[in-house]
Amino acid sequence: MTQIPDWLRLKKALTVEAERGFQDLQGNQYRFSEFMTLSLGESLAVGTSDHRRRWQSLAQEFALYPQMDQSQRQALIASTRQFLHQFQKDLETPPEPPKTPKTQPLGIREPHSPTSGNIPPLDAPLNSLLEIDRRWTGDALARLGLYTVRDALFYYPRDHIDYARQVNIAQLVDGETVTIIGTIKSCSCFTSPKNKKLSILNVQLRDRTGQIRLNRFFHGAYFTNRGWQKRHELQYPVGAIAAASGLVKKNKYGITLDNPEIEILDSPGGSIESHKIGRILPVYPLTEGVSADIVRKAILAALPAIQHLKDPLPPVIQNQYSLIPLQQALTHLHFPPDQTALSQARRRLIFDEFFYLQLGFLQRRQQQKQIHNSAILATTGELIEQLKKILPFELTNAQKRVINDILNDLNAPIPMNRLVQGDVGSGKTIVAVFAILAAIQSGYQAALMAPTEVLAEQHYRKLVSWFNILYIPIELLTGSTGVRKRREIHSLLETGELPLLVGTHALIEDPIQFRKLGLVVIDEQHRFGVEQRAKLLAKGKSPHVLTMTATPIPRTLALTLHGDLDVSQIDELPPGRQPIQTTVLTTKQRLQAYELIRREIADGRQAYVILPLIEESDKLDARAAVKEHKRLQEVIFPNLKVGLLHGRMNSAEKDEILTQFRDNVIQIIVSTTVIEVGVDVPNATVMMIENAERFGLSQLHQLRGRVGRGSHKSYCLLMNNGKSPDSQQRLAVLEQSQDGFFISEMDLRLRGPGEVLGKRQSGLSDFALASLVEDQDVLNLARNAAEKMILADENLEGFPSLQEELETRYQKMISGSILT
């Protein structure tokens, strides 16, 4: 059930902001405008459709609050207060009882109850059921992966259409799904004069409030046969009572139902026999050549077998979390009698999806903690103390907290499996260095793996500056490393003379052997596949694992993707980091962007110009960058040095360009997202991103993090070529916030987890029903239930059916992809 907003917090926030002069106050976690945007966004499902539109409008307005002047801010807060007051009154006023339609009520009957003598077994082939046409329907269902009765029962609808609401013709509203009942005034079936392969059935239906024309369309030469058309007309005789269900649409002829389902009733009060008309209709995923009717018919035929299903979820959990039985949930998901039954069914089955995934994660985590052959690393020692002395900066409280988490893990015989989330520039690398030194001073080796050569080289340069002072050898291994150097690294690793190796995929692709690997650090870990990570871990004996990401994800996704990991967050930026002034510009303001770049370069600074990755094609990507580079160099900035960087370049070419950029030989670098992570040029102060509407918010935040790394004021210019209002709303989030966690939360709400993470990178299988955005409350309940279950019976020995279901579901859901 949707939660009503916390009125007290909303009103207090509005009051304090007004009292303090509309300054967009900074709270403990969010700015005022960020808090209001999130709070109002969570309320979008509350109230009537008018209320929901107003919630959405207010959320969009508060996203633009930082750009408003004081009078605009004052007006927005005043109107929001008025709306909250009125909405609260509306909630407290009981609604008027709905008016009963004067037409006869629908006589909808439940699906026939199965008889004990005709219940197919769960593993029976679908085409063995009498209702299934063995000749071709069985083959069509097989194309959807439906072979057995069990397959059909667990083939969930992707949506439902509510035809249960009956209205009079005069009450029809464009966009609603309804059922109407009336008398047939005329019926004709004919071939379209514009398309000789299209037949049209035209039915005129009238009730006491009005008249409507309904059309159904039949494509194919078979239906243009005049005999077929005449027989079809006879099915809808004039004067008969008919029920029709469909989506209300308005066209040039007026209001109609879009390709409706129509059924003749025995009498004005007669019952509807169809499983489509006047009901909540399930909509299933289909493929070419398989109609919705075929799937519904198969599932209806399989439904009696639900009696064979055993519910593996213990009754104590069902009772504690108010969950209906599995058999009832499946029945009502496929053919719900009403919206309440459908909501209860979805809640139970969504709970199951989350519960088994979390149960698998927690069981795996417990098993990891039983491994006691991992290296116990000294968390105090000479190297760590020396590092503290040579650091030219003071660690933040967040860094100290995370370092403490890591050192506590390393001091235990159980292998560490920790994820460190930190915003751009939060200082994750130095946190990893403390872990690396703990391994080295304990006599072990460490490996740091990064997804790209640019990022690996960036780590190497940073670590060398510290490790040379500590007299610790360190080497870099990438695809560009020469054969002779590669052999030297292999030899030093095998003898133990090389304590730390930084590299890319080459660390796992090379036949290298560590003498005593105790710690593995993986940066931007979501960019590596499970097999790649496992290969690196296999080069040691239960080494400790520290993974890092500069792409913060909301807690909901962290629980789902990393349920078997301990998660630490560096939620504080080092002192002195200046906020980056971010501005959304249209193509008409491009000259202003170029003028800012010229001013900054005249002051000795440098700039990036980023182009979007198009269809993940290096060729398209490179051509776009090459064309823009030529235009900027020859037309816009002919007196400056403009460099080019893209994914088709080899490592030597990339190194040369980046070196020239670091040395300020190149003032402007035109690049693709190859520079998203790993490039650290403190003198660069302008980040101009073309077609910013094509990027996700989190990726834009990552790109923005390439500037603002020095002591100079920095700028991020988001060029919005999109015409949609949504693109302006999305990009406004970047204007108002520098908080990566807030931005990722908004990205998740606006685009969903598949787009935010990238499905290939996240390894997240699609849930059949659950939504990580809309079902966070159920996820939290499922996580809580799974924790209690593991605490009570870690190996589920007392629940064999639950353990069996877990093994089946967990493997399907992770597909071997989520595990780290």
Side-chain angles (χ1 to χ4, degrees):
M1 182 177 177
T2 304
Q3 295 294 314
I4 300 300
D6 187 336
W7 305 114
L8 189 60
R9 290 185 68 203
L10 281 175
K11 289 180 176 179
K12 185 176 180 181
L14 290 164
T15 300
V16 172
E17 173 69 7
E19 290 175 348
R20 300 287 178 86
F22 310 99
Q23 298 176 24
D24 199 11
L25 297 171
Q26 175 66 56
N28 291 334
Q29 188 173 6
Y30 300 123
R31 299 196 75 82
F32 165 74
S33 56
E34 295 171 348
F35 167 74
M36 293 300 298
T37 303
L38 277 175
S39 299
L40 296 170
E42 291 171 353
S43 309
L44 292 182
V46 181
T48 65
S49 58
D50 288 339
H51 287 137
R52 291 194 293 272
R53 281 192 289 270
R54 184 62 175 140
W55 286 124
Q56 183 176 22
S57 173
L58 286 172
Q60 292 172 352
E61 288 183 66
F62 274 104
L64 300 173
Y65 189 85
Q67 285 76 52
M68 295 180 180
D69 58 33
Q70 189 170 27
S71 62
Q72 291 173 319
R73 293 181 177 186
Q74 186 173 359
L76 175 58
I77 287 178
S79 65
T80 304
R81 282 171 152 177
Q82 292 170 0
F83 171 68
L84 289 178
H85 177 72
Q86 184 59 46
F87 182 56
Q88 211 168 352
K89 285 179 60 179
D90 293 345
L91 287 180
E92 293 166 356
T93 304
E96 295 183 8
K99 296 180 181 178
T100 304
K102 294 184 179 180
T103 50
Q104 293 293 331
L106 291 174
I108 300 176
R109 300 188 300 194
E110 288 291 317
H112 300 296
S113 301
T115 58
S116 57
N118 189 30
I119 304 177
L122 292 171
D123 295 326
L126 264 182
N127 60 13
S128 69
L129 304 184
L130 295 177
E131 294 88 343
I132 304 295
D133 188 323
R134 293 174 178 80
R135 290 171 298 175
W136 62 275
T137 304
D139 293 338
L141 293 169
R143 291 204 290 277
L144 294 174
L146 304 180
Y147 302 96
T148 67
V149 169
R150 185 190 301 272
D151 293 337
L153 294 179
F154 286 93
Y155 193 66
Y156 295 161
R158 63 174 174 81
D159 201 358
H160 290 81
I161 302 174
D162 191 354
Y163 291 148
R165 179 168 164 264
Q166 178 191 338
V167 301
N168 294 323
I169 291 174
Q171 296 173 315
L172 294 176
V173 176
D174 188 17
E176 295 183 346
T177 52
V178 298
T179 293
I180 56 175
I181 292 180
T183 304
I184 294 179
K185 305 306 295 180
S186 67
C187 176
S188 59
C189 191
F190 54 91
T191 302
S192 168
K194 296 181 179 179
N195 184 347
K196 298 304 179 183
K197 292 185 178 181
L198 175 66
S199 288
I200 303 173
L201 172 70
N202 177 270
V203 176
Q204 297 280 347
L205 201 66
R206 176 185 294 173
D207 68 8
R208 69 178 195 84
T209 68
Q211 182 168 305
I212 191 171
R213 180 167 72 173
L214 306 176
N215 288 328
R216 282 184 58 81
F217 302 94
F218 303 89
H219 296 271
Y222 171 79
F223 302 110
T224 59
N225 177 276
R226 187 58 196 147
W228 181 91
Q229 293 175 346
K230 200 67 181 174
R231 289 193 299 274
H232 218 60
E233 287 177 356
L234 294 175
Q235 294 180 26
Y236 305 96
V238 173
I241 304 298
S245 294
L247 172 67
V248 182
K249 278 197 171 182
K250 190 172 184 179
N251 58 28
K252 61 182 179 181
Y253 302 109
I255 287 286
T256 186
L257 299 184
D258 186 38
N259 210 25
E261 299 290 344
I262 307 173
E263 181 181 343
I264 302 299
L265 305 184
D266 294 335
S267 63
S271 62
I272 295 178
E273 298 293 333
S274 168
H275 288 285
K276 293 185 284 188
I277 298 174
R279 305 179 186 276
I280 299 176
L281 185 68
V283 180
Y284 295 94
L286 302 174
T287 190
E288 187 176 356
V290 185
S291 72
D293 285 340
I294 290 175
V295 177
R296 291 190 193 107
K297 186 176 181 182
I299 290 172
L300 200 61
L303 270 181
I306 274 181
Q307 293 190 12
H308 292 312
L309 279 176
K310 294 180 180 179
D311 194 337
L313 199 64
V316 64
I317 292 182
Q318 295 183 45
N319 294 333
Q320 184 173 354
Y321 296 95
S322 303
L323 302 169
I324 63 174
L326 177 63
Q327 295 88 338
Q328 182 183 351
L330 286 171
T331 302
H332 287 172
L333 182 73
H334 289 298
F335 295 98
D338 52 49
Q339 285 290 351
T340 300
L342 174 59
S343 177
Q344 292 174 342
R346 288 190 80 259
R347 185 175 181 274
R348 163 61 203 267
L349 297 172
I350 288 170
F351 180 94
D352 282 5
E353 288 188 324
F354 285 141
F355 175 74
Y356 288 109
L357 181 65
Q358 295 302 317
L359 196 63
F361 274 146
L362 292 171
Q363 195 176 64
R364 172 182 167 86
R365 190 171 176 178
Q366 289 296 107
Q367 292 167 355
Q368 289 171 341
K369 290 182 177 179
Q370 293 173 4
I371 300 173
H372 290 282
N373 61 346
S374 188
I376 299 178
L377 306 183
T379 55
T380 57
E382 185 180 347
L383 290 181
I384 289 180
E385 293 307 314
Q386 287 181 358
L387 176 64
K388 292 178 180 177
K389 292 177 182 177
I390 66 172
L391 283 181
F393 52 83
E394 178 71 23
L395 294 172
T396 65
N397 291 328
Q399 287 173 318
K400 292 175 182 177
R401 185 184 69 246
V402 174
I403 289 171
N404 189 55
D405 290 342
I406 293 169
L407 295 182
N408 285 339
D409 289 346
L410 296 179
N411 200 227
I414 301 165
M416 175 177 68
N417 203 7
R418 183 170 293 277
L419 169 69
V420 173
Q421 287 197 121
D423 210 341
V424 177
S426 61
K428 295 178 298 299
T429 304
I430 190 60
V431 167
V433 169
F434 275 86
I436 291 169
L437 290 181
I440 293 173
Q441 70 184 12
S442 302
Y444 289 88
Q445 294 167 294
L448 191 160
M449 184 167 70
T452 66
E453 290 193 11
V454 170
L455 183 54
E457 289 161 3
Q458 178 70 35
H459 278 309
Y460 176 73
R461 277 191 298 272
K462 191 175 290 186
L463 292 176
V464 161
S465 65
W466 292 324
F467 279 49
N468 281 351
I469 300 174
L470 298 173
Y471 302 102
I472 298 174
I474 175 175
E475 290 288 356
L476 175 68
L477 181 65
T478 69
S480 304
T481 305
V483 175
R484 179 179 295 180
K485 185 64 176 179
R486 200 176 288 263
R487 288 174 182 167
E488 179 187 340
I489 291 173
H490 289 182
S491 175
L492 293 172
L493 285 175
E494 290 177 11
T495 62
E497 297 173 78
L498 180 59
L500 174 60
L501 179 62
V502 178
T504 57
H505 302 75
L507 269 63
I508 53 179
E509 292 166 355
D510 268 29
I512 59 175
Q513 297 295 326
F514 289 82
R515 183 175 180 273
K516 200 176 181 182
L517 182 62
L519 172 70
V520 170
V521 180
I522 302 174
D523 196 15
E524 293 298 320
Q525 61 89 30
H526 60 282
R527 299 192 175 204
F528 292 101
V530 176
E531 291 182 7
Q532 293 170 319
R533 297 194 292 259
K535 283 181 180 178
L536 182 56
L537 301 188
K539 294 182 182 290
K541 187 177 182 181
S542 300
H544 295 284
V545 181
L546 178 65
T547 57
M548 304 188 296
T549 179
T551 308
I553 59 175
R555 182 175 180 272
T556 308
L557 277 182
L559 273 178
T560 307
L561 291 173
H562 311 301
D564 56 339
L565 298 180
D566 295 305
V567 180
S568 294
Q569 292 186 352
I570 306 178
D571 49 10
E572 178 185 1
L573 290 178
R577 288 281 302 216
Q578 295 188 41
I580 301 164
Q581 182 176 318
T582 304
T583 309
V584 180
L585 301 175
T586 65
T587 52
K588 294 179 180 179
Q589 297 170 299
R590 187 177 300 279
L591 293 180
Q592 297 176 28
Y594 292 154
E595 186 56 36
L596 173 64
I597 291 175
R598 287 191 184 95
R599 287 203 310 268
E600 286 297 297
I601 292 175
D603 289 338
R605 313 292 166 246
Q606 294 165 272
Y608 298 96
V609 176
I610 306 299
L611 284 89
L613 191 69
I614 302 172
E615 299 177 355
E616 299 185 353
S617 166
D618 285 340
K619 291 182 180 178
L620 288 173
D621 168 38
R623 281 206 299 271
V626 167
K627 184 176 179 180
E628 183 66 5
H629 168 254
K630 183 178 181 181
R631 190 180 74 85
L632 292 177
Q633 179 65 88
E634 296 179 359
V635 180
I636 309 299
F637 304 109
N639 299 322
L640 301 175
K641 177 66 173 174
V642 182
L644 174 65
L645 185 69
H646 57 72
R648 290 183 62 193
M649 292 178 166
N650 60 40
S651 297
E653 291 172 326
K654 290 178 186 174
D655 285 343
E656 183 181 354
I657 293 294
L658 287 173
T659 299
Q660 290 183 29
F661 191 58
R662 288 190 190 95
D663 295 342
N664 205 358
V665 174
I666 291 175
Q667 288 81 45
I668 302 172
I669 191 166
V670 178
S671 177
T672 61
T673 52
V674 70
I675 61 96
E676 182 181 345
V677 291
V679 176
D680 187 1
V681 181
N683 193 51
T685 57
V686 181
M687 168 64 67
M688 179 179 176
I689 304 174
E690 295 284 359
N691 297 105
E693 74 281 355
R694 297 192 182 188
F695 295 85
L697 296 183
S698 294
Q699 191 175 28
L700 289 171
H701 181 59
Q702 284 281 320
L703 289 166
R704 175 170 63 179
R706 296 309 101 208
V707 295
R709 307 178 79 84
S711 58
H712 310 292
K713 183 173 178 59
S714 294
Y715 306 86
C716 179
L717 309 176
L718 304 175
M719 306 304 298
N720 180 18
N721 292 3
K723 298 179 180 179
S724 165
D726 291 342
S727 64
Q728 178 66 33
Q729 179 193 355
R730 286 179 58 249
L731 296 178
V733 174
L734 273 296
E735 284 187 310
Q736 76 171 50
S737 180
Q738 309 272 329
D739 183 347
F741 289 94
F742 169 76
I743 290 167
S744 66
E745 177 72 34
M746 294 302 295
D747 213 7
L748 177 64
R749 290 174 181 275
L750 294 168
R751 296 196 304 151
E755 291 293 327
V756 172
L757 293 166
K759 293 196 176 181
R760 282 194 297 263
Q761 292 181 0
S762 71
L764 178 62
S765 300
D766 287 332
F767 293 104
L769 289 175
S771 163
L772 290 170
V773 179
E774 298 172 5
D775 300 314
Q776 295 185 20
D777 56 336
V778 183
L779 170 58
N780 291 329
L781 291 178
R783 174 78 175 187
N784 180 265
E787 287 173 343
K788 290 181 178 178
M789 179 60 67
I790 290 295
L791 195 63
D793 188 350
E794 179 181 318
N795 297 316
L796 305 179
E797 294 175 353
F799 304 92
S801 58
L802 186 64
Q803 177 65 38
E804 182 181 349
E805 184 73 9
L806 169 63
E807 291 174 1
T808 302
R809 287 196 181 228
Y810 185 59
Q811 291 304 321
K812 281 184 179 179
M813 290 198 71
I814 64 170
S815 302
S817 303
I818 292 182
L819 297 181
T820 301

